[in-house]
Amino acid sequence: MIWRGLELLREEMQRHRTASATAIVHGIADAMLRDEAGRDDVCLLAVSLAESTPFEERIPADLAELTGVRNRLRAWLTGSDVDRHDGFAIVLACSEAIGNAIEHGYRTPDAAATGTVTISASIVDERVDVTIGDGGLWQPRETPPDRGRGLMLMNRLMDEVTVDRATTGTTVTMSRRVRWVGP
């Protein structure tokens, strides 16, 4: 009997593994106690990673800023114990989004001189959520054959990518489930 219960617990945990800690507790409790009718006391605990201190930066709309922001984001991910491979993918996707914000949002010298790009990232449960925003006006450009793959790259590196091109500014939100570096 206990083995069947443990197998059901394993199956339910697998089914709910991408959910928040609260959803995991409710989903597993519902499944595990479906046939119990209050015959036993039950305690179920799900632990999620506490949210880390978020990463937040505002940089000038200058491509020369990319190296510094990539290094700082990489350091934040490393300090948050994000797996190196996952961290690399996140940094590369963010670099593409920031570069696009600068190149497409602030193409004129006047716009670039006063423009800024904001970068924020946070860790929630087993995911890193990132938002890149600018206040410029999206301006498509002639794309040489060796360019123009940034959005495709972001979509392949991240689990979710959304681009919102408002009248003033573009916001890119991205999310990726990550593994952690263990002790």
Side-chain angles (χ1 to χ4, degrees), residues 55 57 65-78 91:
F55 176 88
E57 290 216 9
E65 296 287 329
L66 272 174
T67 300
V69 78
R70 279 193 302 252
N71 291 339
R72 292 185 296 277
L73 180 58
R74 186 179 301 108
W76 177 78
L77 290 163
T78 300
V91 169

Side-chain angles (χ1 to χ4, degrees), residues 52-53 72-82 123 180-181:
S52 67
T53 302
R72 292 185 296 277
L73 180 58
R74 186 179 301 108
W76 177 78
L77 290 163
T78 300
S80 299
D81 294 329
V82 171
I123 298 173
W180 307 104
V181 177

Side-chain angles (χ1 to χ4, degrees), residues 10 18 27 50 64 85 88 106 114 121 124 129 137 150 155 166 174 182:
R10 187 194 66 74
T18 61
H85 174 75
F88 176 82
Y106 301 110
T114 59
V124 179
D129 295 326
L137 180 60
N155 277 304
M174 302 182 285

Side-chain angles (χ1 to χ4, degrees), residues 33-55:
L33 300 175
R34 190 171 297 129
D35 298 328
E36 287 298 308
R39 293 187 300 220
D40 202 356
D41 293 333
V42 174
C43 178
L44 182 60
L45 172 67
V47 178
S48 70
L49 297 173
E51 290 187 29
S52 67
T53 302
F55 176 88

Side-chain angles (χ1 to χ4, degrees), residues 12-181:
E12 289 300 316
M13 189 59 217
Q14 184 66 24
R15 180 178 288 112
H16 294 89
R17 70 183 196 90
T18 61
S20 68
T22 302
I24 289 171
V25 168
H26 290 292
I28 290 177
D30 289 347
M32 298 295 295
L33 300 175
R34 190 171 297 129
D35 298 328
E36 287 298 308
R39 293 187 300 220
D40 202 356
D41 293 333
V42 174
C43 178
L44 182 60
L45 172 67
V47 178
S48 70
L49 297 173
E51 290 187 29
S52 67
T53 302
F55 176 88
E56 295 190 11
E57 290 216 9
R58 178 180 298 270
I59 62 168
D62 182 350
L63 290 173
E65 296 287 329
L66 272 174
T67 300
V69 78
R70 279 193 302 252
N71 291 339
R72 292 185 296 277
L73 180 58
R74 186 179 301 108
W76 177 78
L77 290 163
T78 300
S80 299
D81 294 329
V82 171
D83 172 78
R84 190 171 65 99
H85 174 75
D86 290 327
F88 176 82
I90 292 165
V91 169
L92 183 54
C94 288
S95 181
E96 288 295 325
I98 295 165
N100 283 350
I102 293 168
E103 288 184 10
H104 293 284
Y106 301 110
R107 282 188 51 201
T108 66
D110 289 342
T114 59
T116 60
V117 177
T118 58
I119 305 102
S120 63
S122 59
I123 298 173
V124 179
D125 292 329
E126 296 178 351
R127 265 186 354 263
V128 173
D129 295 326
V130 182
T131 302
I132 312 288
D134 68 69
L137 180 60
W138 182 266
Q139 301 171 43
R141 61 184 336 180
E142 270 306 303
T143 307
D146 63 333
R147 305 263 338 251
R149 294 179 180 84
L151 190 55
M152 178 192 70
L153 190 57
M154 286 182 258
N155 277 304
R156 292 199 179 187
L157 293 168
M158 304 297 280
D159 297 324
E160 296 176 33
V161 176
T162 304
V163 179
D164 180 17
R165 291 188 185 111
T167 27
T168 47
T170 299
T171 302
V172 177
T173 55
M174 302 182 285
S175 180
R176 179 180 170 109
R177 287 184 51 76
V178 294
R179 295 172 299 250
W180 307 104
V181 177

